[in-house]
Amino acid sequence: MACELHRIEEVKRALLLAAAGLSAYAQTTLSLSSSVPSPAPLGTLITWTAAAPEPAFYRFRVSEEGQPPRTVVDFGPNRAFDWAPYDREGHYVIEVAALNRITGEITTAEAPFEVLSNVTAGVAVIRPTSHPLVFLYSAPPCSSAAVTYVTFTGPGGQSAKTPEKPCDEAHSVNFLLAGLHAETTYAASHTLTDGDRSIEGEPLTFTSGEIPDNLSVHTAAGASGSPAQGIMLAGSLNNRFIATDLDGAPIWYYPGEMQFLTHPEPGGYFFGVHQVRGAGESSQILRMWDLTGVTVLETNAARVNDQLEAMGKTRVGAFHHDARFLSDGKIIILASVERLLDDVQGAGAVDVVGDALVVLDPDLNVVWYWDSFDHLDVKRLATLGEPCNPAACPPLFLAAEANDWTHGNAVAETPDGNLILSLRHQDWVIKIDYAGGAGSGTVLWRLGPGGDFRIEGGSEDDWFSHQHDPEFEADGALTIFDNGNLRRDRDPVALSRGQAWELDETNHTAKLVFNSTLGVYSAAVGSAQLLENGNYFFDCGFLSDGSAISVELNPQGVPTHSLRSTAPEYRTFRMRDMYTP
């Protein structure tokens, strides 16, 4: 059905072209222009704009001299993209490809661009970026046998350090400084380490800028139990994503528009997904951006579906809830998938929404695919019989109403190279045979009520329901946020819980090693995390008054710190700095 609708749209486009007196098979002409002339210094924000006859989708790639091109934005309707080179100076080539959506013809155009170093006379330089709380530190070239990093310190004496970078004898070494309080003066310097020898650069001062006045407000309660992870990154809903210190003061925000902040990644990068209801597949976006908010990777469901269709796979509807890197550098995305089923989940034809997992290589090509309809019992209904709620369900493409069958909300890699997927409306966490990309997609086990594990030393009341964010931690336990919707359905005063489970996958036993009632009920969203000091951290992201609260507890379940937000939060993360997830 989805493929048929797709072809109908293509025919409509052809008819519109004909009505306008244009040939659907005309040769595409393509041009590419930049908002800033070449050359320009490192850190300059440059908008590249392409022009081609409609209907066209555009792909933008960037290559450094002598290197293969890297896709930044895959084929989609946007004819412009922002580029801000922060890594190193040199000669670059920007390539745009225009895909004619009727003929399949691809035309390309290129433009060279020279990026200049900020360093003059061998002296380090700090310059602002497009983000008021992010600055670019440029250190001079240094011996290839050494590494360098930057330390920056505020007026209270608290300091942060960037990750180390290898020195480069031919280029400057550049760092984005982030995690800054607004309108505050800092001192920054780089340290060069060569074996046992360290050389300190001269301190440079800079002052951070103003922040928007519409950020969500966070209020702290209790002393921090984990000063080593003194940043909280919040994926606020209906508001900008924000990072605060543990007192609730903002130190970073995402300046763009994005529905879900799914994961921070090493080095100061972030994944998110965005949905637009009532719009087509090309408006359903996966994006990764840097600390300044500039996009470094982007694709959309229409582009992914072109690849899936060529592979003989079922098309997806929209990306939702999760996207992240796997350990081998590939990207995994959670997406919706629909099927019209007759007399299975209701009388007659019923639109049923399940989940798909799509794995992309670093150049955004589909390399692995999993469809819940191929591996789960479609006769097992959502445990509370949920239909699609427009506020929580991905956009629908086959019908106006649907059953929200599985409602996947988190995917994570397991220590043995497989995957776990949280299915909120099945009250299950399932393990999937991924095997580093060579797996069959078979469901290896189901954890939760009615699944494959029995609880050791506990009762059926210990099981989670409508859960979020399961993940295997460094100690081997599976942390999870238990929203508790099934318990709440039976008991109107039941509250959400934070849990950690010890699993014996051979004997299929599950043992609760941490289980704490969190004092509130979060009907949806949430996250769970084991902190470096041994405490647990849980996000109760959707309270009845529209607020959220993130709570840290010691191993005995005693709260040690909390941050309350004026906006609901999809997930929150405690971080050591803005570079380390």
Side-chain angles (χ1 to χ4, degrees), residues 244-291:
T244 73
D245 64 18
L246 296 187
D247 293 323
I251 58 172
W252 180 85
Y253 66 93
Y254 175 54
E257 181 183 1
M258 186 70 29
Q259 189 169 11
F260 293 111
L261 170 66
T262 62
H263 277 279
E265 298 290 346
Y269 297 96
F270 309 86
F271 270 118
V273 293
H274 192 67
Q275 302 168 359
V276 180
R277 300 187 184 284
E281 296 168 352
S282 63
S283 297
Q284 318 307 324
I285 302 296
L286 163 75
R287 180 180 298 160
M288 185 174 79
W289 61 91
D290 65 22
L291 286 160

Side-chain angles (χ1 to χ4, degrees), residues 10 21 75 78 92 96 111 178 260 267-268 270 273 324 326 339 343 355 385 389 402 404 436 484 492 509 524 538 556:
E10 299 295 358
F75 285 110
N78 294 331
Y92 291 81
V96 62
F260 293 111
F270 309 86
V273 293
R324 64 192 304 177
L326 297 173
R339 291 195 189 181
D343 299 321
D355 288 293
N389 181 335
D404 197 359
T509 60
F538 299 99
Q556 290 73 46

Side-chain angles (χ1 to χ4, degrees), residues 35-36 40-48 62 70 72 81-88 92 94 113 115 127-131 134 136 174 176 269 289-296:
S35 62
V36 176
L42 270 165
T44 303
L45 181 63
I46 304 159
T47 300
W48 291 89
V62 176
R70 178 182 63 84
V72 179
F81 95 107
D82 289 335
W83 179 58
Y86 295 118
D87 192 26
R88 64 183 186 178
Y92 291 81
I94 311 301
F113 200 95
V115 177
R127 61 170 290 177
T129 69
S130 58
H131 195 298
V134 182
L136 178 63
N174 298 277
L176 289 175
Y269 297 96
W289 61 91
D290 65 22
L291 286 160
T292 68
V294 171
T295 298
V296 294

Side-chain angles (χ1 to χ4, degrees), residues 465-488:
S465 63
H466 280 45
Q467 70 290 334
H468 280 77
D469 199 32
E471 184 131 14
F472 282 104
E473 302 285 358
D475 65 354
L478 182 81
T479 53
I480 198 164
F481 181 76
D482 170 26
N483 294 79
N485 296 53
L486 280 187
R487 289 184 292 107
R488 187 75 169 195

Side-chain angles (χ1 to χ4, degrees), residues 364-501:
L364 303 176
N365 299 303
V366 177
V367 294
W368 195 82
Y369 178 78
W370 182 89
D371 184 344
S372 59
F373 286 97
D374 296 335
H375 297 280
L376 296 173
D377 180 7
V378 76
K379 295 179 182 179
R380 187 180 195 266
L381 305 182
T383 56
L384 288 176
E386 287 95 342
C388 263
N389 181 335
C393 201
L396 301 177
F397 291 90
L398 298 186
E401 298 178 344
N403 285 356
D404 197 359
W405 172 42
T406 52
H407 200 104
N409 57 30
V411 61
E413 193 170 9
T414 63
D416 60 3
N418 292 301
L419 301 171
I420 53 171
L421 173 62
S422 172
L423 300 176
R424 169 180 164 90
H425 287 175
Q426 296 290 304
D427 295 322
W428 279 347
V429 176
I430 64 172
K431 184 175 182 180
I432 297 169
D433 177 23
Y434 177 67
S440 65
T442 300
V443 175
L444 301 174
W445 48 247
R446 303 160 301 167
L447 178 70
D452 300 312
F453 285 75
R454 63 176 178 84
I455 295 178
E456 181 181 331
S459 72
E460 291 294 306
D461 289 337
D462 292 332
W463 283 126
F464 46 81
S465 63
H466 280 45
Q467 70 290 334
H468 280 77
D469 199 32
E471 184 131 14
F472 282 104
E473 302 285 358
D475 65 354
L478 182 81
T479 53
I480 198 164
F481 181 76
D482 170 26
N483 294 79
N485 296 53
L486 280 187
R487 289 184 292 107
R488 187 75 169 195
D489 190 54
R490 298 190 299 264
D491 177 0
V493 296
L495 304 176
S496 299
R497 302 182 298 196
Q499 295 185 330
W501 292 84

